[in-house]
Amino acid sequence: MFSSVLAQSVQQSGLQSLEKQGRLKVGLALGGGGARGISHIGVLRALEEHNIPIDCVVGTSMGAIIGGLYASGKTPDAIEAIVGEMDWGFALSDGTQRQNKPMHVKEQELQIAHAGKLGVGGKVLGLPLGALSGQNLNQVLSKINLENLAVRNFDDFPLPFRAVATDLATGEAYVIGTGSISDAMRASMSVPGLFEPVVIDGKLLVDGGMANNVPASVARELCGDIVIAVSVGTELLEQEAITSVLAITEQISSFLTWGNTAKTIASLSADDLLISPDLGEISSASFSIGLEGVPLGYAAANTALAKWKNTRKIAALGNQHNRKKTVSAAPIIAFVQLENNSPLNDQLIRDRLSITTGKPLNLTLLNEDINKLYGLDLFDTVDWDYTKNDAGETGIKIITFQNPAKKNYMQFGLQLEHDSNSDSNFTVSTAYIMSNINDRGGSLRVSGSLGERTNLSAALYQPLDYSGRYFLNPIVGYGKREVNLFSGKQKVGELELGTIGLYLGGGVNLGSMGEIRLGYERARGRIGVLSGVFEDPPKKFDLGEFTFRMVYDDLDSYYFPRSGTRMVFGSRLADNRLGSSDDYTQVAFSGVGARSWGKGTLAWRVHAGYTFDDAAPVERAFELGGLGQLSGLATNQLVGNYIGFASLSWYSYLAGIKQISAFGGVSLEAGNTWLREDDIGFDDLIYSGSIFVGADTPIGPLYLGFGVADTGNSALYLYVGNPFDFTDGLLSPR
């Protein structure tokens, strides 16, 4: 290899003899370091200002992202703009936006507010190979590399490029020079434990920093008579600085990279250049302030170049180097190909794609399709790539994957309620989900809870067509819950309601935003007295009801929404001829909406319920009270055949990361319940308000608040779980 000959010549004859043979080639090696690697942009800017020609670029981890963008033709200014616009919170998460999830998935999340899954495959637990599958990171990398994704050989870029990853089976460096540049970047930065490994050429690849964090040796072999190496990794902390769990985590990460980085630095010759920016408090995870490292990288490069003896020699010969021009025209899409690594029928995927052939790719529409496919909760990852057929035409390949070990999975959740006006309640929940039980994406969900609310149910969700428009949803279950009864402020008794029965439902989905369903519920139940004295003894009852339910939901979050609206309207008709002990008809409406300005959000909630002829039995009464539902009153303190409620809340984002976001705010509320229609009136509305802090967390929403009502009631509240259970308590198919 010519570069090898030149490298040997450097050792034998020195720099001057090489100058006589022609312009020296310069290889650029950009090291890994997470957010610290964003400082590479400043280094690139300084190299261009000093007229230092670069002949090839090699990068590890973040160095692979910055280096790949530069090698493919982006200027330092363009790269800085790209990095500044990147949503790192989105990239470093897996969840799709709630609006993209189908209605039945949104409904399930109200039962167990927990984002995690524990796969169950065969006799073992299907633990993931990383905390994140990389679904959203794939999307971000595809977007920033769009015009270069059709390039399959990295030597065809304006500058030859290589990304360095680590072969997880051998621990050795694996150099990627062909295929998809976004896949190469993704593999190079797959931090073990955080991201699942990437499979390329049959190799299981993770972050290249474990094997070659500053890939100077790869740059020298690829093109470099001289190597400019940039090291941005964190140095090992002194013992006095290891004072927290985060510090320990950073120290362990440094162990994995610092050893090979030190060897690389020691291997550099006197003619090479090492640039090591002093990045101060910027850590590998400081993506929110990563751009602050750009001027620090620029300053460090200028200082190093001023001292480097070869700067003028190489810069003087720099004009002899002509960059290849990049072809940025987007290819015409001639066909769509599926690589379906799941048991689902191909038609299920095709029915959700809107790719138009005969035109260049519309990435915005493609990402919407991918988000909706991923939001079905049927795949571990959904990705895409360019591909070619035998005729040389360019097409789009949609790649779906489901890990067989995670096809069936479990979820866990808890509901903790405590207010100073009533007893504390604690409920733990779990669900076992068998997904993709047929090629239409049917699922069987067995769930149970134990505590103040005890239930056990099995629900089948079965799409009737591959587009998922029509569905059946039968449910069998047993449930038991406690009902507190109050007289004014005083708790006078406690009842226990238990039912066992069957719900037969089905309907039509209106895209991912709406649903219309009809159902029939048949159940038997019993009301028991837990405390208090009642004239009527405990009784048994039968339920036999036709139900109707219509939902529109485009909220971004149910518990702390910042945009969107959710509206639920439903009715139930009970009749002796349907098997019901009582004849009654009810209608109800519930609405939630939010709009945000900066960090602040104004949200509203409305509940209304009406029972014809005052005829509903206690097991179908409306309930009201608790934090955000007439704060100051005990949870579900008010019971009646009619309900009216409205609230306005203002809360502000305080702090957080993608998985945990904290908010603080206040609410104003008004409402009541009534036993008889003649009692309904504005003159007996109860007014209340609250102040609260809360957080959306992986174990569910968390609330801590204080509420006061004009009845003289006040209460402190602690909630883990859903405090707004009324919203779907009526007519819910759960």
Side-chain angles (χ1 to χ4, degrees):
M1 182 182 293
F2 183 62
S3 60
S4 299
V5 173
L6 287 179
Q8 293 175 2
S9 182
V10 168
Q11 296 173 355
Q12 295 171 1
S13 305
L15 181 61
Q16 291 183 349
S17 63
L18 276 171
E19 291 175 6
K20 296 177 183 179
Q21 299 176 27
R23 187 186 66 79
L24 296 173
K25 291 188 175 182
V26 180
L28 178 63
L30 302 179
R36 294 168 63 89
I38 297 175
S39 62
H40 289 315
I41 299 170
V43 173
L44 294 173
R45 184 171 287 140
L47 292 175
E48 288 197 350
E49 290 181 0
H50 282 267
N51 197 30
I52 304 298
I54 303 298
D55 292 274
C56 67
V57 182
V58 180
T60 293
S61 195
M62 183 58 76
I65 293 180
I66 304 300
L69 291 172
Y70 187 68
S72 64
K74 300 286 194 306
T75 65
D77 289 347
I79 298 172
E80 185 172 13
I82 289 171
V83 172
E85 293 173 0
M86 285 180 67
D87 185 347
W88 290 105
F90 174 75
L92 301 177
S93 67
D94 273 346
T96 187
Q97 291 181 329
R98 187 175 183 274
Q99 296 94 321
N100 292 319
K101 299 178 181 180
M103 283 304 306
H104 75 279
V105 174
K106 295 176 184 176
E107 299 297 313
Q108 289 177 1
E109 291 179 348
L110 297 182
Q111 300 176 51
I112 297 181
H114 188 281
K117 297 179 180 179
L118 180 62
V120 181
K123 298 180 180 179
V124 298
L125 295 178
L127 296 174
L129 298 179
L132 302 173
S133 69
Q135 171 68 30
N136 293 340
L137 180 60
N138 290 343
Q139 192 172 120
V140 169
L141 294 178
S142 294
K143 180 179 179 181
I144 66 176
N145 290 292
L146 178 60
E147 66 267 30
N148 299 304
L149 287 177
V151 178
R152 299 284 106 174
N153 188 328
F154 299 171
D155 287 339
D156 294 334
F157 288 135
L159 293 174
F161 170 68
R162 297 293 185 270
V164 178
T166 300
D167 186 336
L168 193 57
T170 65
E172 297 179 352
Y174 189 82
V175 180
I176 308 169
T178 59
S180 163
I181 187 173
S182 65
D183 286 349
M185 291 178 177
R186 163 83 171 78
S188 183
M189 67 172 298
S190 291
V191 178
L194 179 60
F195 288 107
E196 291 192 354
V198 178
V199 179
I200 295 180
D201 299 331
K203 306 289 186 180
L204 206 59
L205 303 179
V206 294
D207 194 311
M210 298 174 62
N212 195 347
N213 196 46
V214 183
S217 59
V218 181
R220 193 183 307 280
E221 182 178 349
L222 179 61
C223 76
D225 303 318
I226 293 177
V227 172
I228 298 176
V230 187
S231 176
V232 295
T234 55
E235 296 187 2
L236 296 178
L237 300 174
E238 299 291 339
Q239 181 172 325
E240 294 76 15
I242 304 175
T243 58
S244 68
V245 172
L246 291 177
I248 294 174
T249 301
E250 186 172 351
Q251 185 80 334
I252 293 173
S253 177
S254 298
F255 286 154
L256 298 175
T257 61
W258 186 246
N260 66 71
T261 298
K263 291 181 180 179
T264 295
I265 293 174
S267 71
L268 296 176
S269 72
D271 293 324
D272 297 326
L273 175 65
L274 174 66
I275 302 173
S276 299
D278 182 0
L279 299 174
E281 298 300 318
I282 300 176
S283 71
S284 58
S286 301
F287 290 97
S288 62
I289 60 172
L291 286 176
E292 295 179 11
V294 175
L296 300 178
Y298 178 79
N302 279 325
T303 300
L305 287 167
K307 298 177 180 179
W308 191 35
K309 66 178 182 179
N310 296 322
T311 300
R312 293 184 179 179
K313 296 177 183 179
I314 296 174
L317 298 170
N319 293 331
Q320 299 178 27
H321 173 61
N322 293 316
R323 252 194 187 194
K324 294 182 292 184
K325 301 297 182 183
T326 181
V327 179
S328 59
I332 301 299
I333 305 305
F335 61 93
V336 178
Q337 176 182 322
L338 299 185
E339 185 178 309
N340 181 13
N341 302 295
S342 78
L344 299 169
N345 191 286
D346 287 356
Q347 194 60 43
L348 182 149
I349 301 170
R350 291 189 182 276
D351 282 350
R352 290 166 172 81
L353 298 176
S354 56
I355 302 171
T356 302
T357 57
K359 296 181 179 180
L361 175 66
N362 186 323
L363 183 63
T364 300
L365 291 179
L366 176 60
N367 282 338
E368 289 178 1
D369 292 342
I370 286 177
N371 287 336
K372 289 177 181 178
L373 279 169
Y374 184 67
L376 292 173
D377 211 25
L378 302 175
F379 307 100
D380 290 311
T381 56
V382 181
D383 202 1
W384 73 277
D385 197 2
Y386 285 118
T387 187
K388 289 185 179 293
N389 59 18
D390 294 338
E393 297 173 314
T394 299
I396 291 293
K397 178 169 61 176
I398 304 297
I399 308 162
T400 59
F401 174 72
Q402 183 189 50
N403 186 340
K406 296 193 290 182
K407 177 182 176 182
N408 303 333
Y409 59 92
M410 299 186 71
Q411 291 182 304
F412 302 90
L414 61 87
Q415 182 92 5
L416 172 63
E417 306 175 17
H418 175 77
D419 67 68
S420 55
N421 283 332
S422 63
D423 298 331
S424 298
N425 299 311
F426 183 78
T427 302
V428 293
S429 304
T430 185
Y432 177 75
I433 298 94
M434 299 173 62
S435 65
N436 297 354
I437 60 176
N438 50 53
D439 67 351
R440 283 177 167 81
S443 63
L444 178 63
R445 178 186 180 91
V446 179
S447 60
S449 63
L450 187 63
E452 190 269 339
R453 296 195 176 195
T454 300
N455 70 68
L456 179 64
S457 66
L460 173 68
Y461 185 85
Q462 180 57 59
L464 298 179
D465 57 331
Y466 290 118
S467 67
R469 181 171 176 81
Y470 302 100
F471 65 90
L472 292 176
N473 185 206
I475 304 172
V476 294
Y478 163 79
K480 183 176 65 174
R481 66 187 183 95
E482 299 173 5
V483 178
N484 295 322
L485 299 180
F486 287 78
S487 176
K489 298 182 181 181
Q490 185 66 35
K491 180 179 175 181
V492 297
E494 190 174 18
L495 301 178
E496 181 180 75
L497 272 64
T499 59
I500 183 169
L502 168 70
Y503 168 85
L504 298 175
V508 56
N509 285 308
L510 308 176
S512 61
M513 302 300 181
E515 172 192 279
I516 298 175
R517 69 162 64 211
L518 295 172
Y520 170 70
E521 184 169 357
R522 183 73 173 92
R524 289 189 171 180
R526 181 180 182 276
I527 300 176
V529 176
L530 296 178
S531 65
V533 178
F534 299 89
E535 294 182 3
D536 296 329
K539 70 169 186 176
K540 296 181 180 180
F541 60 88
D542 289 299
L543 296 175
E545 303 170 342
F546 278 133
T547 63
F548 169 79
R549 190 168 185 263
M550 181 168 57
V551 184
Y552 173 82
D553 186 345
D554 70 346
L555 283 179
D556 63 337
S557 168
Y558 181 74
Y559 304 105
F560 297 98
R562 290 182 53 78
S563 66
T565 305
R566 175 180 170 92
M567 294 183 289
V568 184
F569 172 80
S571 64
R572 58 162 55 105
L573 170 64
D575 192 277
N576 295 134
R577 291 167 292 182
L578 299 175
S580 176
S581 300
D582 301 282
D583 295 345
Y584 52 91
T585 301
Q586 290 180 305
V587 294
F589 171 81
S590 181
V592 184
R595 184 177 178 184
S596 297
W597 296 266
K599 293 184 177 182
T601 298
L602 181 67
W604 57 268
R605 293 181 183 268
V606 174
H607 308 323
Y610 185 89
T611 303
F612 291 87
D613 301 323
D614 305 337
V618 64
E619 60 269 17
R620 289 310 192 199
F622 300 113
E623 299 174 338
L624 187 60
L627 179 63
Q629 309 272 61
L630 288 184
S631 304
L633 276 61
T635 302
N636 297 333
Q637 180 172 333
L638 304 179
V639 179
N641 288 320
Y642 306 88
I643 186 173
F645 172 82
S647 73
L648 282 176
S649 300
W650 173 264
Y651 46 87
S652 180
Y653 173 82
L654 299 177
I657 58 177
K658 188 69 177 180
Q659 291 76 21
I660 302 176
S661 299
F663 300 87
V666 297
S667 69
L668 296 175
E669 308 139 19
N672 207 340
T673 64
W674 300 271
L675 289 174
R676 294 178 297 275
E677 183 177 3
D678 293 341
D679 297 333
I680 300 174
F682 288 100
D683 56 343
D684 58 355
L685 287 178
I686 298 173
Y687 297 93
S688 66
S690 72
I691 182 170
F692 61 88
V693 292
D696 223 345
T697 77
I699 65 170
L702 170 67
Y703 299 84
L704 177 64
F706 172 76
V708 60
D710 66 354
T711 58
N713 297 77
S714 62
L716 288 168
Y717 298 94
L718 172 63
Y719 273 94
V720 177
N722 179 11
F724 308 113
D725 210 31
F726 169 84
T727 305
D728 290 298
L730 175 67
L731 314 175
S732 174
R734 293 183 241 163

